[in-house]
């Protein structure tokens, strides 16, 4: 028979906390946990007259026992009969379980020998014929009874007692087996004595009881015990009596239970101490006997030790019904026997390997009682006592057993010899207690936790093909009644790797009860099927129960659930526990099926608690099925079903120790039925993660079709990952496309046609070429990234002598300002170096570097900002008069328009109010930093009040008032210096958003206008004494970029180092600014300014900001701040969060170490800031992230790190879409020339859809106003989310055109291009301007002599450009993109032939010599000589890019992403020809 090959690798099983518990010494055999009497070691009272359950009493009442004996069923002894110490024993006083444990742990106990042999020996010396068997009572019996040895307990009790006595006295037995081997109604049927079963057992036990008590009384230190012997009957539940009909049986499980129950009642009423199910050649019979014993123990409430002994019929080491010793043990261990072992059929020497195996398997004590050798030709046994003892010696020497006796052929002398041999040895110690495992069995045993399947996964394959729902073929066979062919399917399942066979015959047109029973009864007779355990699977509980009663092995029942209610659930589970079955529990309850992760966990945990605590079900035998539900249906609510299952699996296994997790794996991919390759690939990926990462153990699968995850095509594997883990919205559509392709392949193969072209899907990601500077390990950051200014780089303290700043632009602002003359010279704030001590935390302006101070402060504590100015002004107005008159003050009493609401104006007209608010935040709130009352103090915003000329003065006063209060408070406690943060708000106009619904290109402000207004604000703030400049509440990043550009200009003119803080505003739960950027894109757009601190404020309450603050914290290389609103506004526009609530909501930021500075925005007040401060003081600030390899970090509405990009072909390559380039698309050119910008936008969208990461925008044409066209295109494009999410590459031959476009881009763009052909001076000027705007730059390999064509020229010009940019311009090297000129090959001109090779070679050298740069090129130039034949051109490009990217490190290219080919998609001959183009020419 074929079997699956051994796996090349065994994957490790997922471990949980309870898996790593070391083995512990075992004190006693496993206890029957469902029995309180056993668990508590409650002694058996031996007062059976008190056991009056109707079922038991009914057996007594209809028994043949003479009336005078019916009350003689109590055997309790006086408690003081013998001493209380071991080895004495008194019935009713002592726990027999405890006694046996101590006894079997200290000596090898001696059982008796053969009853039949002794009766035969008696008959040789005495008359024992039919007459004696009948005796007086049965002298007129209607059939012969000679040979009915059990009958002698009634008719010849003296013979039986004599034999008992011989074994006890001569043999030295400690335990006597009753003469009841065949005392069942079934076995007695051979003698028509069925009604006498109870009496036979009663008398057999009573006679033994009497003799044991008699012998014990002679020596109470050696108590003797009665073992109620329960034989196998003369019928077998597992074996057909008919050769023609394998489903035939001559007895049922229930009939066996009934007959055994009556035997048990008789034995116990007769005084048995122990019950032993022995000589088991069919384990199903034994399971019925053990079930009957459990029923008796449950009804009586007693603890009676159970011994079990199997019979292996020959040297195959199997029972007559085919089980190995281990499988036999696994099938009965649920009954928790105290002792288990083997007897009969073989002599001791032949039993050696099998006893050893049972000894290794058994968790309890072990027994053996062999025959006296093998029978001779006459049926007798020739082994002498000495030979038999010697043959048993191996058991003692190896410490395999705890109890020994003899079976056929053995006599008291044999037992004596064995006893004398055994006394020299110690008994077998109980094995250590280890982690419980599910131990299943068919004809062979299987520990689920030790299983690896044919793929090497720690996973139990449950074969699905004998399930009507899992196989159409199986269904047809079952409906036709063709059970023989159905067996072939079962065999094939095992051959193909199924560890367990799922059997399900559920169908509305089929008698499920009859079909299940017939299938199982036939299957158990087929060794190649029956060697595997079964999973009995049905929607009706009575059907699985019917099947279970025909299984000798330990099965799994599938399934039960809480959907039937808790009461019936407990009833079902209890019944299965008694049968020893493992159980699948579905994640259903009274409300329905669990679909989400939380529901799965909740229902399974509830089920577990009921099963373990109420039913006392072994947790290791519980298999939860949390419902594998179908993914890829197109319904959004189904998309996460795979993820939910995998996550729930891990949580269930964590919360429910020892359970297994299973599922019907085919359900997962039901939406892709008909295409096995797709379905099995999905299953493989799902199982790989569910098994190895979450601990799934079991699954109903088609083992033959299962795939190893490494055998899945890489692109298909990625599609599966996306689908299973719901990684992208398009996952289902992409998989459906691939399914259509695979179906088309199948059809083509069927029709003898060539296969269709494979849809690309997601290609595997190829590795990026590494250079030496890529391998640098992260290093701890000592401070935030530094601006490039000398002052910042050298930590030069700000002198605070602003009168020394006399740059023309600064001076002009002061001169035209409205600031009264007497204040114009008050712009210096330098302190004497001796004002305060030189050590931290003291700070002196002009002496100390504020950059260094902030770094230390923000690294050691969470700094406190202030709260809302507007809220405080409103609160003031509620208690004091603050109307139009007060806003105007004396100075503006005759102002021409209303000014109430112009809060910034109060710095001039009501300075005491503003200073009072500052003071409250500093004193009561405990703020370290105060934001100036200058949020709207720009010429633009002041236009609403016709106060444009007052912008400088407003900023000056707002800062000066804060300066004075900060200095006042610092003087009171110099160890806590207070700092003035110059607040720069967003203005009331947006550069990125059109004010007109009709015209998306319209704007009401320009970048340059914003720069001018912000520059004036910066000058005012600095002259007023600000320490820090904060651009805040940024809802349009382009406005912020203008403000930061203005700050950069001021710092350049002044030569100062002033820390910059930046705070964005995400307007709702989308996590985006008003102009559409994510938090990461916002950061990428402004990080070129090297802020010391960046974060979020306003719009949302703290609890709503959590995910966005976390993301900014992960992104930012500098310190991080947050100052949220006091919740969301109420219907009146107010804020309801109390200080305590706001502090609690901010706690998550502190706990997670996400921030360095915290404050409050709208609705917050000094009490709010105080509460936040007190909360923050308990936590450490966010550490700066390590410094890593610099990367080019672009942004549109979303961010993009170029070094982390892989394109749609899996290449580490940035696709720059070429189709919005007049030179790259005739269609685009026509649209732009016609002014059809709307249709031009469609081209841009298509570029992004087709795989462009960046959109190249070029409107160069002699007949077009490039300046106007570039601005219009960009202004419209930034309003289209599907375009604007990608960064732009602004591309023009004239520098002023790219600059015009750049000023309308809120994101970080690439400018294409500059070069040295304009001369070094202008090159530096261009580069400096781009650096200030934060743009990346493409540098062409041109210089004053022209274009670089050869390898050497390309390297030389690029290296020269690099040195100028990095050393003179201080341009970030990671933002430099060199274009070494992709030139046309294949022209026929010899000098052009090496252009491709030169480019590739130069690329590698440039990247080696110019760390962190990128290499780009216009790829279409390469194949210009083959224009008109896209297939040829794209094949050439594919081969070129493969080498340039993977071998040389090219990063970027202007391409038509849609037309790009992977090298694997290029026809072999064409690829060979293309490869030849890139071989060096001599």
């Amino acid at each position: 028979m074929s079997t699956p090959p051994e796996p090349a690798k065994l994957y490790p099983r997922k471990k949980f906390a309870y898996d790593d518990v070391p083995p512990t010494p075992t004190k006693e055999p496993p206890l029957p946990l469902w029995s309180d009497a056993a668990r508590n070691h409650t002694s058996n009272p031996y007062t059976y007259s008190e056991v009056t359950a109707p079922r038991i009493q009914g057996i007594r009442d209809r028994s043949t026992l003479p009336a005078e004996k019916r009350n003689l069923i109590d055997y309790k002894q006086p408690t003081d009969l013998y001493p209380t110490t071991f080895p004495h024993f008194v019935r009713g006083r002592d726990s027999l379980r405890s006694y046996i444990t101590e006894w079997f742990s200290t000596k090898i106990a001696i059982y008796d020998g053969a009853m039949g042999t002794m009766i035969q020996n008696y008959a040789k010396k005495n008359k024992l014929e039919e007459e004696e068997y009948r005796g007086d009572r049965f002298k007129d019996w209607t059939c012969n009874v000679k040979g009915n040895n059990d009958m002698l307990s009634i008719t010849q009790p003296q013979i039986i007692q004599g034999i008992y006595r011989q074994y006890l006295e001569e043999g030295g037995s400690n335990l006597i087996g009753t003469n009841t081997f065949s005392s069942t109604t079934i076995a007695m049927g051979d003698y028509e004595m069925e009604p006498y079963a109870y009496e036979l057992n009663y008398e057999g036990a009573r006679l033994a009881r009497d003799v044991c008590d008699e012998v014990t009384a002679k020596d109470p230190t050696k108590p003797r015990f009665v073992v109620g012997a329960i034989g196998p009957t003369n019928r077998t539940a597992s074996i057909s009596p008919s050769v023609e009909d394998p489903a035939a049986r001559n007895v049922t499980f229930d009939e066996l239970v009934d007959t055994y129950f009556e035997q048990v009642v008789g034995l116990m009423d007769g005084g048995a101490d122990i019950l032993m199910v022995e000589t088991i050649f069919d384990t199903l019979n034994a399971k019925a006997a053990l079930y009957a014993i459990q029923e008796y123990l449950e009804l009586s409430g007693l603890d009676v030790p159970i011994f079990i002994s199997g019979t292996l019929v020959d040297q195959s080491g199997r029972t007559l019904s085919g089980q190995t010793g281990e499988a036999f043990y696994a099938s009965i261990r649920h009954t928790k026997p105290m002792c288990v072992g083997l007897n009969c059929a073989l002599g001791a020497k032949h039993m050696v390997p099998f006893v050893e195996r049972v000894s290794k398997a058994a968790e309890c004590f072990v027994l053996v009682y062999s025959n006296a050798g093998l029978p001779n030709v006459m049926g007798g046994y020739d082994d002498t006592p000495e030979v038999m003892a010697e043959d048993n010696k191996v058991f003692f020497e190896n410490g395999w057993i705890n109890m020994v006796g003899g079976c056929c052929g053995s006599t008291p002398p044999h037992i004596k010899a064995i006893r004398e041999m055994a006394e020299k040895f110690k008994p077998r110690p109980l094995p250590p207690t280890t982690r419980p495992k599910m131990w299943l069995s068919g004809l062979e045993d299987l520990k689920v936790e030790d299983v690896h399947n044919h793929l090497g996964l720690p996973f139990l394959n449950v074969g699905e093909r004998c399930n009507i729902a899992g196989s159409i073929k199986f269904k047809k066979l079952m409906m036709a009644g063709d059970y023989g062919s159905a067996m072939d399917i079962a065999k094939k399942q095992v051959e193909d790797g199924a560890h367990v066979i799922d059997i399900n015959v559920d169908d509305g047109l089929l008698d499920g009860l009859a079909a299940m029973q017939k299938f199982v009864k036939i299957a158990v007779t087929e060794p190649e099927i029956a060697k595997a355990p079964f999973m009995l699977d049905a929607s009706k509980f009575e059907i699985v129960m019917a099947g279970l009663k025909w299984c000798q092995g330990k099965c799994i029942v599938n399934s039960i659930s809480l959907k039937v209610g808790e009461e019936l659930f407990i009833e079902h589970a209890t019944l299965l526990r008694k049968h020893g079955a493992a159980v699948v529990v579905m994640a259903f309850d009274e409300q329905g099926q669990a679909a989400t992760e939380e529901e799965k966990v909740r229902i399974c945990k509830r089920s577990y608690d009921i099963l373990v605590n109420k039913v006392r079900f072994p947790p290791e035998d519980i298999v939860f099925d949390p419902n594998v539900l179908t993914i890829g249906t197109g319904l959004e609510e189904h998309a996460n079903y795979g993820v939910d299952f995998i996550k729930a699996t891990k949580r269930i296994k964590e919360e429910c120790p020892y359970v297994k997790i299973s599922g019907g794996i085919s359900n997962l991919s039901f939406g892709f039925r008909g295409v096995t390759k797709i379905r099995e690939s999905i299953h493989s990926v799902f199982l790989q993660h569910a098994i190895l990462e979450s601990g799934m153990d079991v699954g109903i699968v088609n083992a033959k079709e299962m795939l190893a995850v490494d055998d899945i095509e890489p692109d298909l594997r990625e599609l599966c990952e996306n689908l299973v883990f719901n990684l992208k919205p398009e996952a289902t559509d992409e998989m459906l496309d691939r399914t259509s392709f695979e179906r088309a392949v199948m059809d083509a193969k069927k029709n003898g046609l060539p296969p269709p072209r494979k849809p690309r899907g997601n290609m595997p990601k190829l590795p990026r070429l590494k250079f030496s500077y890529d391998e640098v390990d992260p290093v701890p950051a000592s401070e935030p990234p530094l601006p490039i200014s000398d002052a910042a780089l050298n930590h030069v303290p700000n002198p605070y002598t602003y009168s020394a700043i006399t740059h023309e632009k600064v001076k002009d602002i002061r001169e035209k300002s409205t600031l009264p003359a007497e204040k114009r010279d008050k712009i210096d704030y330098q302190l004497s170096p001796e004002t305060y001590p030189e050590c931290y935390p003291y700070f002196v302006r002009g002496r100390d570097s504020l950059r260094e101070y902030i770094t230390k402060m923000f690294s050691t504590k969470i700094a406190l900002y202030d709260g809302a100015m507007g809220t405080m002004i409103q609160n003031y107005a509620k208690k004091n008069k603050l109307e139009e008159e007060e806003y105007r003050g004396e100075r503006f009493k005759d102002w021409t328009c209303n000014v109430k609401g112009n809060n910034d104006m109060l710095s001039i007209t009501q300075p005491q109010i503003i200073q009072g608010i500052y003071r409250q935040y500093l004193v009561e709130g405990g703020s370290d930093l105060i934001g100036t009352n200058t949020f709207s103090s720009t010429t633009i915003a002041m236009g609403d009040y016709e106060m444009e000329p007052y912008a400088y003065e407003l900023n000056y006063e707002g800062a000066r008032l804060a300066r004075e209060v900060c200095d006042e408070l610092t003087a009171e406690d110099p160890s806590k210096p207070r700092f003035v943060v110059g607040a720069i708000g967003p203005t009331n106009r947006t550069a990125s958003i059109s004010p007109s619904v009709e015209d998306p290109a319209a704007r009401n402000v320009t970048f340059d206008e914003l720069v001018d207004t912000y520059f004036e604000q910066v000058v005012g703030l600095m002259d007023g004494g600000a320490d820090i400049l904060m651009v805040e509440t940024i809802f349009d990043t382009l406005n912020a970029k203008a403000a930061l550009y203005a700050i950069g200009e001021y710092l350049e003119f002044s030569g100062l180092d002033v820390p910059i803080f930046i705070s964005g505003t995400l307007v709702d739960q989308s996590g985006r600014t008003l102009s559409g950027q994510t938090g990461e894109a916002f950061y990428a757009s402004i990080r070129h300014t090297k802020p010391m601190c960046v974060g979020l404020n306003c719009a949302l309450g703290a609890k709503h900001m959590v995910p966005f603050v976390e993301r900014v914290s992960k992104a930012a290389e500098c310190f991080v701040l947050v100052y949220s609103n006091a919740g969301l506004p109420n219907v009146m526009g107010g804020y309801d969060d109390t200080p305590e609530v706001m502090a609690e909501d901010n706690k998550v930021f502190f706990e997670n170490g996400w921030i360095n500075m915290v404050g409050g925005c709208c609705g917050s007040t000094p009490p709010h800031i105080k509460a936040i401060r007190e909360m923050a003081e308990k936590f450490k600030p966010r550490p700066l992230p390590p410094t890593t390899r610099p990367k080019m970090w672009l942004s549109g509405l979303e961010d993009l790190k170029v070094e982390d990009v892989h394109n749609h072909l899996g290449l580490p390559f940035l696709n720059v879409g070429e189709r919005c380039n007049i030179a790259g698309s005739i269609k685009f050119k026509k649209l732009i020339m016609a002014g059809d910008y709307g249709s031009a936008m469609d081209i841009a969208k298509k570029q992004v859809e087709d795989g462009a990461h960046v959109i190249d925008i070029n409107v160069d044409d002699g007949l077009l106003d490039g300046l106007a066209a570039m601005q219009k295109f960009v202004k419209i494009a930034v309003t289209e989310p599907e375009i604007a999410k990608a960064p732009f590459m602004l591309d023009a031959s004239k520098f002023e055109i790219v600059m015009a476009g750049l000023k309308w881009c809120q994101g970080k763009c690439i400018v294409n291009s500059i070069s040295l052909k304009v001369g070094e001076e202008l090159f530096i000027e261009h580069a400096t301007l781009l650096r200030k705007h934060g743009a990346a730059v493409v540098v062409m390999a041109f210089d004053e002599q022209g274009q670089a064509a050869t390898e050497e020229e390309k390297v030389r010009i690029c290296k020269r450009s690099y040195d100028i940019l990095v050393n003179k311009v201080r341009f970030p090297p990671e933002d430099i993109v060199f274009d070494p000129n992709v030139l046309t090959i294949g022209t026929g001109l010899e000098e052009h032939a090496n252009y491709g090779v030169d480019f590739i070679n130069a690329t590698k050298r440039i990247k080696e010599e110019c760390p962190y740069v990128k290499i780009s090129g216009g790829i279409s130039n390469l194949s210009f000589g083959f224009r008109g034949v896209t297939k040829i051109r794209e094949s050439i490009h594919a081969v070129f890019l493969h080498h340039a990217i993977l071998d040389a490190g090219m990063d970027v290219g202007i391409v038509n992403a849609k037309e790009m080919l992977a090298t694997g998609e290029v026809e072999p001959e064409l690829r060979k020809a293309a490869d030849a183009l890139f071989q060096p020419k001599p």
Side-chain angles (χ1 to χ4, degrees), residues 1055-1128:
L1056 301 179
D1057 177 24
V1058 177
I1060 300 171
F1061 291 8
I1062 303 173
S1063 184
T1065 296
L1066 307 180
V1067 293
D1068 56 31
Q1069 290 300 103
S1070 70
R1072 292 179 181 263
T1073 62
L1074 186 64
S1075 56
Q1077 282 195 316
T1078 64
E1080 294 89 340
F1082 156 68
Y1083 175 69
S1085 302
I1086 54 82
R1087 66 186 278 271
H1088 65 280
T1089 63
K1090 306 302 181 190
M1092 279 204 79
C1093 195
V1094 72
L1096 301 174
N1097 76 290
C1098 203
L1100 301 169
K1103 70 171 67 173
H1104 308 96
M1105 293 174 82
V1106 170
F1108 315 127
V1109 172
E1110 179 181 14
R1111 287 166 59 181
V1112 170
S1113 180
K1114 287 179 178 177
E1117 300 135 303
C1118 56
F1119 296 121
V1120 174
L1121 61 84
V1122 64
Y1123 51 111
S1124 70
N1125 291 349
L1128 295 176

Side-chain angles (χ1 to χ4, degrees), residues 113-279:
M115 175 62 72
T117 298
M118 291 297 287
I119 291 172
Q120 288 171 359
N121 290 348
Y122 178 90
K124 291 174 185 177
K125 301 175 182 177
N126 305 277
K127 185 171 182 286
L128 189 59
E129 300 296 336
E130 180 72 24
E131 181 184 353
E132 285 71 32
Y133 269 88
R134 291 181 178 227
D136 189 58
R137 184 171 172 188
F138 300 103
K139 62 183 179 180
D140 300 323
W141 202 249
T142 55
C143 68
N144 289 338
V145 293
K146 184 182 177 183
N148 183 0
N149 289 345
D150 293 12
M151 183 179 182
L152 296 175
S153 297
I154 298 175
T155 60
Q156 302 293 336
Q158 75 287 352
I159 296 176
I160 302 306
Q161 277 200 320
I163 294 170
Y164 289 156
R165 190 172 286 105
Q166 282 180 271
Y167 277 119
L168 290 168
E169 293 182 341
E170 182 183 350
S173 298
N174 305 113
L175 307 103
I176 285 292
T178 56
N179 179 40
T180 55
F181 187 80
S182 299
S183 296
T184 57
T185 53
I186 291 173
M188 285 296 124
D190 288 350
Y191 305 102
E192 300 175 7
M193 293 191 73
E194 296 94 322
Y196 292 84
Y198 172 86
E199 185 178 355
L200 289 167
N201 285 286
Y202 173 88
E203 292 295 354
R206 185 187 60 79
L207 296 174
R209 177 79 281 151
D210 289 347
V211 179
C212 281
D213 288 355
E214 170 195 322
V215 176
T216 299
K218 293 176 183 178
D219 182 2
T221 67
K222 191 178 178 183
R224 313 303 175 95
F225 297 96
V226 177
V227 178
I230 300 171
T233 82
N234 52 359
R235 298 186 186 181
T236 58
S238 295
I239 303 170
S240 171
S242 169
V243 176
E244 291 76 26
D245 184 4
R249 297 293 187 274
N250 56 13
V251 70
T252 69
F253 185 87
D254 291 339
E255 288 168 348
L256 286 165
V257 170
D258 287 342
T259 197
Y260 282 126
F261 188 85
E262 183 169 352
Q263 181 171 31
V264 168
V265 174
L267 288 168
M268 297 308 296
D269 283 357
D273 299 296
I274 296 160
L275 293 171
M276 168 127 83
V277 182
E278 67 164 333
T279 320

Side-chain angles (χ1 to χ4, degrees), residues 312 316-319 322-329 357 443-445:
L312 308 181
S316 70
R318 293 179 182 262
T319 61
Q323 282 196 315
T324 64
E326 294 90 339
F328 154 70
Y329 176 68
R357 287 166 61 180
L443 298 184
E444 297 169 8
D445 73 313

Side-chain angles (χ1 to χ4, degrees), residues 57 148 153 199 264 282 373 542 552 658 698 805 833 845 849 951 1090 1126 1457:
Q57 194 59 46
N148 183 0
S153 297
E199 185 178 355
V264 168
D282 180 351
E542 61 267 26
Q552 67 173 332
Y658 309 121
V698 185
I805 299 172
R845 292 193 296 277
S849 162
K1090 306 302 181 190

Side-chain angles (χ1 to χ4, degrees), residues 961-1150:
L961 297 174
R963 176 80 282 150
E964 290 174 359
V965 181
C966 283
D967 289 353
E968 171 194 322
L969 269 296
T970 299
E972 292 177 8
D973 181 1
S975 70
K976 189 177 179 182
R978 314 301 176 95
F979 297 97
V980 178
V981 178
I984 300 172
T987 84
N988 51 0
R989 298 187 185 180
T990 57
S992 294
I993 303 170
S994 170
S996 168
V997 177
E998 291 77 24
D999 183 3
R1003 298 292 187 274
N1004 57 12
V1005 71
T1006 68
F1007 185 86
D1008 291 339
E1009 288 169 347
L1010 285 166
V1011 170
D1012 287 343
T1013 196
Y1014 282 127
F1015 189 86
E1016 182 170 352
Q1017 183 170 31
V1018 169
V1019 174
L1021 288 168
M1022 297 308 297
D1023 284 356
D1027 298 295
I1028 296 160
L1029 293 172
M1030 167 124 81
V1031 183
E1032 67 163 334
T1033 320
I1034 298 163
F1035 50 82
D1036 180 352
T1037 310
L1038 187 52
N1039 282 38
K1041 285 174 73 176
L1044 292 163
Y1045 188 91
I1047 293 171
E1049 290 290 275
Y1050 175 84
L1051 297 178
E1052 183 180 335
F1053 297 159
S1054 66
L1056 301 179
D1057 177 24
V1058 177
I1060 300 171
F1061 291 8
I1062 303 173
S1063 184
T1065 296
L1066 307 180
V1067 293
D1068 56 31
Q1069 290 300 103
S1070 70
R1072 292 179 181 263
T1073 62
L1074 186 64
S1075 56
Q1077 282 195 316
T1078 64
E1080 294 89 340
F1082 156 68
Y1083 175 69
S1085 302
I1086 54 82
R1087 66 186 278 271
H1088 65 280
T1089 63
K1090 306 302 181 190
M1092 279 204 79
C1093 195
V1094 72
L1096 301 174
N1097 76 290
C1098 203
L1100 301 169
K1103 70 171 67 173
H1104 308 96
M1105 293 174 82
V1106 170
F1108 315 127
V1109 172
E1110 179 181 14
R1111 287 166 59 181
V1112 170
S1113 180
K1114 287 179 178 177
E1117 300 135 303
C1118 56
F1119 296 121
V1120 174
L1121 61 84
V1122 64
Y1123 51 111
S1124 70
N1125 291 349
L1128 295 176
N1130 57 32
V1131 291
M1132 299 301 291
Y1135 294 86
D1136 298 327
D1137 278 5
T1138 64
E1140 294 72 26
V1141 168
M1142 190 174 180
E1144 187 64 33
D1145 287 350
N1146 271 269
K1147 184 180 179 183
V1148 65
F1149 306 140
F1150 313 143

Side-chain angles (χ1 to χ4, degrees), residues 193 211 271 299 311 398 524 610 710 798 859 1057 1155 1170 1351 1418:
M193 293 191 73
V211 179
L299 292 172
T311 296
N398 285 288
V524 297
I610 293 168
D710 292 336
N798 178 355
S859 298
D1057 177 24
I1155 64 164
K1170 179 185 178 187
E1351 176 186 340

